[in-house]
Amino acid sequence: MSNVRELARQTLEAYRQFLETADTRVKNSVLDTIAVLLGERISSLLDENRKDVLAAKSADMNPALVDRLALDEKSIRGMIRSCAEVAALPDPAGKVTDMTVRPQGFRVGRMRVPIGVIAIIYEARPNVTIESAILCLKSGNGAILRGGTAAFHSNRFLIRIIRDALQAAGINPCLVSFLESRDRQAVDELLLQDDLVHLVIPRGGEGLIRNVVEKSRIPVLKHYKGVCHVYVDRDADLDMASRIILNAKTQRPAVCNALETLLVDAPVAADFLPGILSSLKGKGVEIRGCGETRRLVPQDVQPASEKDWTEEYLNLILSVRVVSGIDEAVRHINTYGSGHTDAIVTRDIRTAQAFINRVDSASVMVNASTRLADGGVYGLGAEI
Amino acid sequence: MSNVRELARQTLEAYRQFLETADTRVKNSVLDTIAVLLGERISSLLDENRKDVLAAKSADMNPALVDRLALDEKSIRGMIRSCAEVAALPDPAGKVTDMTVRPQGFRVGRMRVPIGVIAIIYEARPNVTIESAILCLKSGNGAILRGGTAAFHSNRFLIRIIRDALQAAGINPCLVSFLESRDRQAVDELLLQDDLVHLVIPRGGEGLIRNVVEKSRIPVLKHYKGVCHVYVDRDADLDMASRIILNAKTQRPAVCNALETLLVDAPVAADFLPGILSSLKGKGVEIRGCGETRRLVPQDVQPASEKDWTEEYLNLILSVRVVSGIDEAVRHINTYGSGHTDAIVTRDIRTAQAFINRVDSASVMVNASTRLADGGVYGLGAEI
């Protein structure tokens, strides 16, 4: 058996033992211990991280990436806080729903259960190591972690903390495994172990995700990008629409739930567009508009090309299109969107309901900013 | 764009139109029309099916497979009945659960939505064509069907019926597509279209399923086999245990929820095993036992090898093992089982609860036969 396969086998075995014995109290005590050990070993962790950062700098790594690699006391305090937050969440495992008595006389219910062994492939960001491990633990899953090799020393040290915490609770430490090999082939081999690993979660850019999808024989939980829309309907409260759009576009433009394309219903376009586009420009947003948008607001609107409708700018750029009502808006979103998060602004409850039913996206919102899309905000729990 | 990719693209487009417009009434009217057309065209369907059967016979196809390929008036009546049954089911799409008001003041709910375009790869069984298409339709999904090429004429005719019914309801007939090419490469190519197809369901033997998993870049919904267990606990009602075991093993041994391995708790083994094994032998069941089983029942028990614990016999063969209590039973099931359906017989509610929590299987039963595992019986709807 290869090393990678053996690692996966050990993780699966530890997961099964965990499934048979772990209760919420034990899980939370492990999270508490991880937090304590992070605090106790903070200076050694910073030493290990320094090794990674120095190597990255001498290899001329892009400074933005070095930034995400580097830890300091504040970011480690953030990890400690995450442990407490996840411990405070309700335990998702074991929840029984839909308990009914069938006509034949027996009772049937559904119980929420862990997934099994989850492989997480991510970039050189040590905080993802802790975040992934504690979410897997709390939800009762085993984890095989493979972060970017530039974070090798930091990750190895963090995994040691996690495993020490597991051991202190009498849990097989193989429950959280670290794919140590810096070889890319080790990842490729891991992605073939579909009898031992139940889910792969790639966390990172589109290139990393596509590579995992191409090579994996295991189901992959993914989203490539977030091309999010706000549709301003003819029955919208236009002041509310302005506030939503400014928030969705400018609060944090580089994240996946930021607004990328604004759709405006034709009957309100002439009233609405000049004001909102001028406010956006005031915040430094570049506008790329359809022909009608440019006719209504001639100054400072670049022409949008077909490519703009599918673009995830992650930047202070917004594409704008005037549409002839909800039908065209929905068609635009389902054709060009990414199925992440899309919003309508309207006071008409029937239009809102039609939008919810017809838009094919994970989050569909009414009179709210796309930026609110988040498991925690929804009350659906922390998420990866 | 290749033909296969174009077919997938058309299906996705039709799915999106369907998502935007289909309501329960429209879906059910399509199912009704399919039933009517099946009745009206029964003799042409039998003609097409005869072509397939003759070709299969002259190619010396295994008679059991010819049997599954051949249609007669009775099996077509079964298809018609299925349409009515699926029409009578509640519409799964649009159901909203967990509607709550968040502390920030907005309302959040989850809505059950279709999956998208589903590719179904199956053997030369024309009834699967209808069953797959009507379940996809009712749940609001698009379908790309690829049945075994030996059923080509039957399938082509059935797809024409389905598409005529869609068209009669004003629905884009591409919603249900037929991968006509008899070339295996067409299937391989379909399995790479992960931007157009959202789920693949292989229906058939383990070889067909493994082949799909190896080649697919799209998530695959699968189960390889059903190695189902009944564990008779020390606190079991032994009469009930006997009835459950006889039903689970002999009612229909060739299906995936039939019993394959019996685990008996040591304290009741000497009392229980002689009687039940003699009843099973009376029904023609071959017994393969562990050392302790053979010590307790020396006559007519073959020795079980390690391989027997993972075997899906699909036949009148049963492996039997004496275990030292629930811990060993759970460990056996989680190690050798297939995660399909496993049952405990016990009167102790705490033992039952521990078994439910610790066994890592899709269906876990208490004091019931594994044969009951079925979406319809559970009241969770028809299933593929």
Side-chain angles (χ1 to χ4, degrees):
Chain A
M1 203 181 279
S2 77
N3 290 341
V4 171
R5 192 163 164 76
E6 177 58 22
L7 182 88
R9 204 197 50 71
Q10 286 171 359
T11 313
L12 177 59
E13 195 182 310
Y15 159 68
R16 286 194 177 135
Q17 293 163 1
F18 191 55
L19 180 72
E20 291 175 20
T21 55
D23 57 25
T24 309
R25 200 184 42 78
V26 172
K27 292 173 180 177
N28 287 342
S29 85
V30 174
L31 299 180
D32 292 347
T33 310
I34 292 172
V36 169
L37 295 180
L38 281 169
E40 285 176 8
R41 301 183 190 171
I42 200 161
S43 70
S44 313
L45 174 54
L46 288 170
D47 289 346
E48 293 296 319
N49 184 248
R50 210 163 295 125
K51 289 183 200 166
D52 290 332
V53 170
L54 288 175
K57 281 181 176 165
S58 70
D60 278 331
M61 187 191 259
N62 173 335
L65 296 183
V66 174
D67 243 29
R68 305 201 307 177
L69 169 59
L71 296 177
D72 56 19
E73 217 164 300
K74 188 171 159 236
S75 57
I76 297 171
R77 294 278 158 224
M79 292 181 189
I80 293 172
R81 212 168 36 246
S82 298
C83 292
E85 283 167 8
V86 172
L89 290 172
D91 191 333
K95 191 179 162 192
V96 175
T97 55
D98 300 333
M99 201 69 165
T100 53
V101 178
R102 299 294 305 152
Q104 302 89 330
F106 53 87
R107 291 199 303 160
V108 176
R110 294 192 215 225
M111 189 166 84
R112 208 162 159 190
V113 296
I115 290 166
V117 174
I118 303 179
I120 301 174
I121 318 287
Y122 52 103
E123 291 163 343
R125 301 175 62 186
N127 63 316
V128 176
T129 303
I130 287 291
E131 198 182 302
S132 302
I134 64 180
L135 283 175
C136 284
L137 276 172
K138 179 74 184 219
S139 52
N141 294 289
I144 300 174
L145 304 178
R146 174 46 144 84
T149 51
F152 178 80
H153 293 95
S154 317
N155 285 339
R156 194 178 48 178
F157 192 84
L158 289 168
I159 301 272
R160 206 176 307 143
I161 286 180
I162 296 162
R163 289 190 152 203
D164 286 351
L166 287 167
Q167 217 142 18
I171 296 170
N172 182 339
C174 294
L175 186 65
V176 178
S177 296
F178 179 41
L179 191 58
E180 288 214 16
S181 165
R182 306 192 194 192
D183 196 342
R184 255 192 179 291
Q185 286 183 334
V187 178
D188 295 354
E189 200 192 332
L190 180 63
L191 297 175
L192 297 178
Q193 312 303 325
D194 63 324
D195 56 335
L196 303 175
V197 181
H198 305 99
L199 181 69
V200 180
I201 306 180
R203 300 186 64 184
E206 203 172 328
L208 181 148
I209 299 173
R210 288 209 187 273
N211 188 48
V212 166
V213 168
E214 265 174 43
K215 292 186 172 149
S216 182
R217 206 172 277 176
I218 304 163
V220 180
L221 186 66
K222 61 173 189 293
H223 72 91
Y224 288 119
K225 49 183 184 177
V227 179
C228 301
H229 300 75
V230 170
Y231 165 59
V232 179
D233 182 59
R234 61 194 62 187
D235 294 315
D237 172 337
L238 296 181
D239 287 338
M240 177 193 269
S242 296
R243 292 195 305 276
I244 286 172
I245 290 160
L246 285 168
N247 172 276
K249 183 67 237 176
T250 67
Q251 193 203 32
R252 214 173 148 203
V255 294
C256 58
N257 61 12
L259 172 64
E260 304 290 11
T261 300
L262 168 63
L263 302 171
V264 179
D265 202 359
V268 292
D271 268 2
F272 182 63
L273 275 176
I276 182 69
L277 296 193
S278 141
S279 304
L280 285 162
K281 283 181 218 155
K283 300 258 185 187
V285 178
E286 175 191 331
I287 309 291
R288 302 185 186 172
C290 68
E292 180 64 7
T293 304
R294 299 185 74 214
R295 200 184 61 77
L296 293 169
V297 186
Q299 331 82 309
D300 296 331
V301 175
Q302 304 299 314
S305 70
E306 182 80 5
K307 195 169 162 292
D308 281 297
W309 307 130
T310 55
E311 192 82 7
E312 186 184 28
Y313 300 119
L314 296 174
N315 209 334
L316 287 175
I317 306 172
L318 179 72
S319 57
V320 182
R321 186 175 194 170
V322 176
V323 295
S324 62
I326 186 174
D327 289 350
E328 197 180 338
V330 168
R331 205 167 315 120
H332 180 103
I333 293 170
N334 287 346
T335 305
Y336 297 107
S338 61
H340 191 294
T341 299
D342 300 294
I344 185 174
V345 186
T346 186
R347 282 177 299 211
D348 186 317
I349 196 165
R350 288 177 58 189
T351 310
Q353 195 57 52
F355 190 83
I356 291 173
N357 287 337
R358 292 164 56 184
V359 166
D360 191 12
S361 298
S363 292
V364 184
M365 300 189 163
V366 178
N367 296 334
S369 166
T370 56
R371 289 280 297 120
L372 287 170
D374 174 278
V377 173
Y378 287 162
L380 299 175
E383 50 169 334
I384 294 191
Chain B
M1 202 180 280
S2 76
N3 289 341
V4 171
R5 193 163 163 77
E6 177 58 23
L7 181 88
R9 205 197 50 70
Q10 287 172 0
T11 313
L12 176 60
E13 194 182 310
Y15 158 69
R16 287 196 175 132
Q17 294 163 2
F18 191 55
L19 181 70
E20 291 174 20
T21 55
D23 58 23
T24 309
R25 203 184 38 77
V26 171
K27 292 173 180 179
N28 287 342
S29 86
V30 174
L31 298 181
D32 291 347
T33 311
I34 292 172
V36 169
L37 294 179
L38 281 169
E40 284 176 10
R41 301 183 190 173
I42 199 160
S43 71
S44 313
L45 174 54
L46 288 170
D47 288 346
E48 292 297 318
N49 183 249
R50 209 163 295 124
K51 289 183 201 167
D52 290 331
V53 170
L54 288 175
K57 281 182 175 163
S58 70
D60 279 331
M61 187 189 259
N62 172 334
L65 298 181
V66 173
D67 241 30
R68 305 200 305 179
L69 169 61
L71 296 175
D72 56 20
E73 216 162 300
K74 188 170 159 236
S75 55
I76 297 170
R77 294 279 158 224
M79 293 180 189
I80 294 171
R81 209 166 41 242
S82 297
C83 293
E85 283 167 4
V86 172
L89 290 173
D91 191 332
K95 190 181 162 191
V96 176
T97 54
D98 300 334
M99 202 69 163
T100 53
V101 178
R102 297 294 305 151
Q104 300 91 329
F106 52 86
R107 290 200 304 161
V108 175
R110 295 191 213 226
M111 190 166 83
R112 205 162 162 188
V113 297
I115 290 166
V117 174
I118 303 179
I120 301 173
I121 319 286
Y122 52 102
E123 291 165 340
R125 301 175 61 184
N127 62 317
V128 176
T129 303
I130 288 291
E131 198 183 304
S132 302
I134 63 179
L135 284 176
C136 284
L137 278 171
K138 179 75 187 218
S139 51
N141 294 290
I144 301 175
L145 305 178
R146 172 49 141 79
T149 51
F152 178 81
H153 294 95
S154 316
N155 284 340
R156 193 176 53 179
F157 191 84
L158 289 169
I159 302 273
R160 204 176 306 143
I161 287 180
I162 296 162
R163 290 189 150 203
D164 287 351
L166 287 167
Q167 216 141 20
I171 297 170
N172 181 338
C174 294
L175 186 66
V176 178
S177 295
F178 179 42
L179 190 61
E180 288 214 15
S181 164
R182 307 194 194 191
D183 196 340
R184 254 191 180 288
Q185 286 183 333
V187 178
D188 295 353
E189 201 191 335
L190 180 65
L191 296 176
L192 297 179
Q193 312 302 324
D194 62 326
D195 56 335
L196 303 174
V197 181
H198 305 99
L199 181 70
V200 181
I201 305 180
R203 301 188 62 186
E206 204 173 327
L208 182 147
I209 298 172
R210 290 210 184 271
N211 189 50
V212 166
V213 168
E214 264 174 45
K215 291 183 174 152
S216 182
R217 207 171 279 176
I218 306 163
V220 180
L221 186 67
K222 63 174 188 293
H223 74 91
Y224 287 120
K225 49 183 183 176
V227 179
C228 301
H229 300 76
V230 169
Y231 165 58
V232 179
D233 181 59
R234 62 193 64 189
D235 294 315
D237 173 336
L238 297 180
D239 286 338
M240 177 194 269
S242 295
R243 292 195 304 276
I244 286 172
I245 290 160
L246 285 168
N247 173 276
K249 183 68 235 177
T250 66
Q251 193 202 33
R252 217 175 143 202
V255 295
C256 58
N257 61 11
L259 172 63
E260 305 290 13
T261 299
L262 168 62
L263 301 171
V264 180
D265 200 358
V268 292
D271 266 4
F272 183 63
L273 276 176
I276 183 68
L277 295 193
S278 143
S279 304
L280 286 162
K281 283 180 217 160
K283 299 257 186 188
V285 178
E286 176 191 331
I287 309 293
R288 301 186 186 171
C290 68
E292 180 63 6
T293 304
R294 297 185 74 214
R295 199 182 63 75
L296 292 168
V297 186
Q299 328 82 312
D300 296 332
V301 176
Q302 304 298 314
S305 70
E306 182 79 5
K307 194 165 163 293
D308 280 298
W309 308 129
T310 55
E311 192 81 7
E312 186 184 29
Y313 300 118
L314 297 174
N315 208 335
L316 287 175
I317 306 174
L318 180 71
S319 56
V320 181
R321 186 174 194 172
V322 176
V323 294
S324 60
I326 186 174
D327 290 349
E328 196 180 337
V330 168
R331 204 166 318 121
H332 180 102
I333 292 169
N334 286 347
T335 305
Y336 298 106
S338 61
H340 191 296
T341 299
D342 300 292
I344 186 175
V345 186
T346 186
R347 282 175 299 208
D348 185 317
I349 198 166
R350 291 178 56 190
T351 310
Q353 197 56 53
F355 190 83
I356 291 172
N357 287 338
R358 293 165 57 186
V359 166
D360 191 12
S361 298
S363 292
V364 183
M365 302 187 160
V366 177
N367 295 335
S369 166
T370 56
R371 289 280 300 120
L372 287 170
D374 175 278
V377 173
Y378 288 162
L380 300 174
E383 52 171 330
I384 292 189

